[in-house]
Amino acid sequence: MITAKLYINGQWVEARSGKKREILNPFDASVIATAAEGDRDDTKAAIKAARHAFDHGGWPQTPASERARLIFKLADLIERDHEELARLESLDTGKTVEESRWDMNDIAGIFRYFAGLADKNGGEVIASPNPDSTSTVVREPVGVCGQISPWNYPLLQASWKMAPALAAGCTIIMKPSEITPLTTLKVTELAEEAGFPPGVVNTVLGPGPEVGAELAESDDVDLISFTGGIATGKTIMRAAAGNVKKVALELGGKNPNIIFDDADFDLAVDYALNGVFFHAGQICSAGARVMVQDGIHDRFVEALRKRMEKIVMGNGFDETTQMGPLISAEHLAKVEAYVDIAKKGKANLVMGGKRPDDPALQKGYFYMPTLFTKCKNDMRIVQEEVFGPVITVERFSTEEEVIERANDTIYGLSAGFWTRDSDRIERVSKALRFGTVWANDFNVYFVQAPWGGYKQSGLGRELGKIGLEEYTEVKHIYRNHATKAFNWFGV
Ligand code: NAD
C-alpha cells in the first residue's frame, strides 16, 4: 500500500488536520494508496513557502542555465524511473500501461524542451524615439504560480505546467486531482532528488474547493493555471479577480472529426477509433463528434461498428487490453446519464449503451464502446462533453454545411478532417474555429506546438514557446543616457 504526503517547503508532511483519502484502482475499486488530504491551511503554508522562495530565496535570480541544469536532471530521472511511473499512472487511472509509457516519454521530452528554452528567453532592444536612450524589453518570471491539474492525464497535464513555470523562474504549488495524485507526487520526489531548492516546488493534495480554491483566491499567488472542466474554470476565473492574478485555463472540448467522401476510407475509420477510444474517451480532444458525408456515411458507420465490436476491455496491465475502465463510479454515472438522455431522444443507438456483461469487469468502472447515429446539432450528446467511449455520428452533404455545424458549439479546443483535396484542406483548416486543427490525422500533440482552446475551451496556451511566455511578465526598461531639463514648470 502506497502512503502519500504533502510536499511543502522541501519537507514531506501529513495534512495539518490529519485527514486522509483512499485512492482507488478504477479496474476493481481496490484501495491502492492512502493520501494526506490537505486543506486551506496546508495550502496557505505552501503558498508562504513558494512566496519566500520567489521573493527572498533567489530562485528567479538563479542563472537560467542553472535552472535548465536542474530541469534536465529531472528529465533524466523521469527517464530512469520511466517504467515505474508508467505502471503507477496505469494503477491510478486504469489506462493501459502502453499508453502510460507513451505519456512518460512525452513527459521527459516536455521537461527537456523547456529546460532548453530556459536560457534562450532573453529580451530585445527596441527602437526608441530618443537617440540618447536605450529601450529594452525583457521577460521576467511572473512569480508564485498555483497549478491545478485534472485526473485524465495526471502527470502529462501537470508537466505542461511545471516545466515552463520552473524554466521561467517561477515557484509553484502543484495541486493534482485528488483522485489521481500518485505520479505527480513521484515526480515531486524526483524534483527533490534533482536538487530544486526548498519552496520552489510544492505539491499539495486535497479537494478542489479547498486546496484549488485557496490557490485561486490567494493574494499571494500571482498566476493560476488550471486544466479541467468549464464550470470549474469559470469559478477559478471569478476567484482570481480578487487580486487580478494572471489566469490560464485549459478547459473541455467537444471535437468534430469530419470525414469527407474523398477521404482515405480505411485511415479515417482507424483514426475515428483512435480519436475516441484511447483512455476510454477521457481525453479533452476526443473526436467524439464524427461527421460523415452522405456518399460514404452508411459504409463508414458499418465499418466503425465492426471494429468497435472487437475492442478488448480489461485490466490496463494485461498486454492484450485495448481499453481500460472509466476513472470513477461518479464519472461512470455521468456517462450513463448522457447515454440515457440520448436513448430517450431521437439518436439511434447502434451498439453499446451499457456496461459490459463480462463478470471479470463488474467491480471496475467499465463502459462499452458506444455508437449513436442520426445525431443532430441540438442534441445534448452532441453539444456536451461526455468524456467517455461514446461516438455520435452526424450525416452531412456539403462543405459549407459541415463547417457551420462544426463551429456551432461553445467549445473550440480541436478539430480534425479527412480529405484528399488539397484546396479543401486549405479552406477547411482556416474556417474551423478551434485552437488545433488536424488535416488527415487526429489527436497529435507535441511539445513544440502550442495547445489551447478558442471560445470556452480556454484562455492562453500551453506548450511551445508561448507556453513559456505564459509564465512571464513583460517589462520595458527605458534608460536615458543624456537627460535634459524639461522646464515645463519653470526653473
Ligand atoms: P474538474 O474541473 O472537476 O477538476 C480539475 C481540477 O480542479 C481538480 O484538481 C479538482 O480538484 C480542481 N477543482 C475542483 N473544484 C475546484 C474549485 N472550486 N477551485 C479550484 N480547483 C477546483 O475536471 P476533471 O473532471 O478533473 O477533468 C476533466 C476535465 O478536464 C474535462 O472537461 C476535460 O476536457 C478537461 N481537460 C482539458 C484539457 C485541455 O488541455 N484543454 C486537458 C485535460 C483535461
Side-chain angles (χ1 to χ4, degrees), residues 148-149 151-152 175 178 208 212 226-229 232 251-252 284 385 451:
I148 304 174
S149 59
W151 49 258
N152 65 331
K175 182 228 154 326
E178 54 275 39
F226 167 79
T227 301
T232 321
L251 307 179
C284 55
E385 189 182 39
W451 177 257

Side-chain angles (χ1 to χ4, degrees), residues 354-428:
K354 60 185 179 88
R355 304 195 59 196
D357 299 325
D358 183 347
L361 305 181
Q362 297 310 310
K363 284 191 194 157
Y365 313 122
F366 285 90
Y367 200 77
M368 282 182 70
T370 296
L371 180 61
F372 282 104
T373 54
K374 300 194 175 160
C375 295
K376 302 276 181 245
N377 246 35
D378 57 359
M379 291 177 179
R380 284 187 67 188
I381 195 114
V382 171
Q383 286 292 335
E384 296 178 27
E385 189 182 39
V386 177
F387 227 52
V390 180
I391 289 182
T392 61
V393 178
E394 293 162 74
R395 182 193 278 266
F396 73 91
S397 299
T398 67
E399 185 181 311
E400 294 70 28
E401 172 201 346
V402 78
I403 285 170
E404 192 172 331
R405 276 167 44 190
N407 283 336
D408 178 21
T409 160
I410 61 166
Y411 292 104
L413 192 59
S414 61
F417 64 97
W418 296 80
T419 178
R420 288 188 170 100
D421 178 338
S422 72
D423 289 345
R424 175 181 278 156
I425 290 178
E426 294 304 313
R427 285 193 305 273
V428 175

Side-chain angles (χ1 to χ4, degrees), residues 148-153 157 160 175-179 206-214 216 224 226-233 235-236 249-253 282-285 331 334 385 387 411 413 445 451-453 457-458 462:
I148 304 174
S149 59
W151 49 258
N152 65 331
Y153 280 82
Q157 294 301 319
W160 288 13
K175 182 228 154 326
S177 166
E178 54 275 39
I179 56 176
E210 287 274 323
V211 178
E214 183 61 35
I224 187 91
F226 167 79
T227 301
I230 287 188
T232 321
T235 305
I236 285 174
L249 301 174
E250 292 288 346
L251 307 179
Q282 302 166 112
I283 310 180
C284 55
S285 56
H331 188 56
K334 182 184 153 193
E385 189 182 39
F387 227 52
Y411 292 104
L413 192 59
Y445 315 76
W451 177 257
S457 285
E462 291 190 308

